[in-house]
Amino acid sequence: MNFSSFAEFVAMGTHGVYVWAAYGVSLAVLALNVILPLLARRRYLRDEARRLRREEMK
């Protein structure tokens, strides 16, 4: 498709809202697939370190 201006490209005819929303949702899902496991790993390592310190004190 050829667009005569950037505004026309963003509008994508009458489908711009759907297209850009789909891109946004896809990007959000991909970001969550990266961020959530990293946060879970950090939480797990912190909990294990805390557990090991408690066991050493016994």
Side-chain angles (χ1 to χ4, degrees):
M1 295 182 88
N2 288 335
F3 298 103
S4 61
S5 69
F6 184 72
E8 189 177 320
F9 169 73
V10 171
M12 298 259 174
T14 58
H15 305 292
V17 173
Y18 170 76
V19 171
W20 295 114
Y23 275 117
V25 168
S26 299
L27 183 61
V29 168
L30 289 173
L32 286 174
N33 280 334
V34 171
I35 293 169
L36 290 178
L38 291 174
L39 292 175
R41 179 179 183 268
R42 182 185 299 170
R43 186 172 36 246
Y44 170 76
L45 291 175
R46 185 183 60 232
D47 291 346
E48 283 300 306
R50 189 178 301 141
R51 184 184 62 81
L52 287 173
R53 280 194 303 271
R54 264 184 291 164
E55 287 183 2
E56 288 176 354
M57 292 183 171
K58 289 182 181 182

